[in-house]
DNA sequence: CGTGAGCTTGACTTGTTTCAACCAACGTGG
DNA sequence: CCACGTTGGTTGAAACAAGTCAAGCTCACG
């Protein structure tokens, strides 16, 4: 996680011991917001090892988690072992805004890298929402963004081919990392295994491997030792938006 | 729309001229809720002809629509003509709770049958949300249900085969119609064309036709003249949950 | 009567999965 | 230090699911 200091960091106090980079505005905002609430108690900081499940579908959560460090994923599993990853979670993202109002998680969350995350007491968040209009606006934004992401996922899975899906997954991650100051030029830390990509794109591992090899041969990307470089951004975009 | 009177209708005043059946609790609740708001103005009732688009992606909406009569669908279109239906809307459903907070629709909505719908002024709903806790609870429920539906769609499209998707689509519609008193035994009005099913399930029309023919040959369902009968519910469920 | 929308069927192509073998890197315990 | 199992990646061949193309049919509608 070679996070660079965020350009806006200057002059703003860091808030969360687990969040070395200031890109984690959300963690900051929530920590501040609940501090003054009558129902408040301290947020809890946790960590999880790579490849471990953080919690499972159907588990009850009385606290709402925000990722501070590392990558995680939300997924749904079927009883026969098939899995669908719904989203990759980067530092500064709430696992799901729905959890603010719904104590039972409908999808499991697992750590991709080692992960540190902060759990905010639900009751305090709900109280703060009633009193603090800008927190409410923040949460509304999270909600609409999640809905947009879900819709995009549906059209990806329903109507796009393997190469399109994988290319746009890569571009999407690159954008999100860029906005966090976590890209070094065209290169990013890329902890995803092929099976993560497969489960996110609704494909088999083998096929993902083939498509990535194709991208590599076509000079679109380079992948080595947990990092990915976009060699031909416009070519990759062309593959992604075969509209 | 041969809606039967809802069992709980007795004693409760109907609220919406466009909603002959009492199953439309949502329309009722919203009409009541905004009636007392300072910012309130009258909801608008509209109708649209079958197969017409009600509005398009990116259009601005200052009112939030609830379906009163008929079937509609929300969809995303790609510039090359590929489409993905995100949800079928039945009487009593809000097009999307996200619209309460986001004035620009990210998906288009189109009428499947002739449709009547009521548009509630956004400002009045937002005011009412602050003052009326049970309305807030209702909207929260809509939100979490929509999120759950979106997640289910993702796993359907990503990880299930054509027969599974179509069977569970049929069962899902049957459940929702049942809860509205719109099933006659195992038979339902079924205005969907094969191309609707195809766009919802991420398949081609031809393949949908083949799968449906297969279901018919297997004695699972009957379809004729805009109505569908489930002949072998447990068989259909077995196909749907090939978990 | 002609037209277009919707459904069915068949032959053929393409995309994706499945199965299998093999390799490299890594951590672990003897 | 080595032997070993595990995890992750690569490659190839064969099987299968779904898509494409095309034709013919019914039916409603103007």
């Amino acid at each position: 996680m070679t996070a660079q200091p965020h350009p806006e960091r200057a002059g703003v106090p860091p808030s969360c011991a687990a969040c070395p980079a200031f890109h984690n505005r959300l963690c900051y905002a929530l920590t501040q917001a609940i501090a003054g609430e009558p129902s408040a108690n301290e947020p809890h900081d946790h960590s999880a090892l790579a490849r471990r499940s953080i919690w499972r579908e159907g588990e009850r959560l009385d606290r709402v988690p925000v990722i501070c460090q590392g990558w995680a994923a939300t997924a749904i599993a079927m009883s026969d072992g098939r899995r669908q990853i719904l989203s990759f979670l980067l530092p500064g993202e709430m696992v799901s805004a729905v959890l603010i109002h719904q104590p039972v998680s409908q999808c499991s969350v697992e750590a991709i890298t080692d992960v540190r995350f902060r759990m905010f007491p639900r009751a305090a968040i709900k109280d703060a929402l009633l009193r603090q209009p800008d927190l409410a606006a923040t949460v509304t934004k999270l909600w609409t963004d999640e809905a947009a992401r879900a819709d995009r996922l549906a059209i990806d899975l329903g109507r796009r081919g393997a190469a399109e899906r994988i290319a746009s997954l890569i571009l999407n991650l690159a954008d999100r990392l860029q906005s966090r100051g976590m890209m070094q030029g065209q290169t990013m830390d890329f902890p995803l295994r092929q099976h993560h990509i497969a489960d996110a794109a609704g494909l088999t591992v083998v096929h993902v491997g083939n498509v990535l090899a194709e991208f590599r041969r076509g000079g679109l990307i380079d992948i080595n030792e947990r990092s990915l470089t976009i060699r031909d951004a416009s070519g990759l975009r062309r593959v992604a938006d075969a509209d």
Side-chain angles (χ1 to χ4, degrees), chain A:
Chain A
M1 297 304 92
T2 57
Q4 299 160 339
H6 190 285
E8 293 183 37
R9 176 163 200 162
V12 180
S15 63
C16 167
C19 297
F22 177 67
H23 57 246
N24 204 335
R25 295 166 164 287
L26 179 59
C27 188
Y28 178 78
L30 284 171
T31 305
Q32 299 296 106
I34 69 168
E37 289 302 318
S39 64
N41 50 54
E42 290 297 306
H44 288 187
D45 289 333
H46 295 265
S47 57
L49 292 177
R51 274 180 301 135
R52 283 293 203 313
S53 163
I54 301 183
W55 62 83
R56 300 176 196 288
E57 215 167 326
E59 231 175 281
R60 188 188 166 83
L61 291 177
D62 287 315
R63 292 167 172 270
V64 182
V66 172
I67 306 294
C68 295
Q69 248 183 51
W71 293 36
T74 59
I76 301 184
M78 293 170 61
S79 46
D80 63 357
R82 287 179 286 182
R83 285 164 29 96
Q84 177 65 47
I85 289 183
L86 301 175
S87 64
F88 292 113
L89 303 169
L90 301 182
E93 293 182 330
M94 185 172 290
V95 164
S96 163
V98 175
L99 288 173
I100 295 175
H101 290 106
Q102 184 187 262
V104 175
S105 162
Q106 50 200 312
C107 57
S108 62
V109 178
E110 56 195 71
I112 292 173
T113 64
D114 289 351
V115 161
R116 297 178 60 81
F117 57 101
R118 177 167 275 201
M119 305 279 281
F120 296 91
R122 168 177 308 104
I125 293 188
K126 288 173 94 163
D127 287 350
L129 279 178
L130 295 177
R131 256 179 292 272
Q132 303 181 30
D134 32 334
L135 182 66
T138 302
V139 169
T140 296
K141 177 87 166 44
L142 292 177
W143 174 15
T144 56
D145 285 353
E146 275 174 31
R149 180 189 53 61
D151 292 351
R152 230 184 68 90
L153 182 61
I155 196 168
D156 278 358
L157 295 176
R159 287 304 184 195
R160 304 172 104 120
E164 284 175 272
R165 295 184 215 174
I166 295 175
S168 66
L169 172 59
I170 292 171
L171 288 169
N172 177 310
L173 287 170
D175 278 356
R176 289 159 63 196
L177 290 170
Q178 180 82 58
S179 74
R180 289 172 166 71
M182 291 171 75
M183 292 281 294
Q184 295 88 34
Q186 294 286 58
T187 301
M188 55 179 136
D189 279 349
F190 197 76
L192 300 186
R193 310 288 149 153
Q194 292 188 348
H195 78 261
H196 291 120
I197 302 179
D199 284 341
L203 300 165
T204 55
V205 185
V206 177
H207 197 44
V208 168
N210 289 332
V211 173
L212 287 178
E214 191 58 43
F215 284 179
R216 234 178 288 123
R217 274 192 293 273
L220 299 177
I221 59 170
D222 264 5
I223 307 188
N224 34 36
E225 23 175 316
R226 308 285 84 89
S227 99
L228 185 153
T229 302
I230 297 178
R231 290 241 162 277
D232 177 0
S234 61
L236 200 56
R237 260 190 295 274
R238 220 172 307 121
V239 174
D241 306 329
D243 271 44

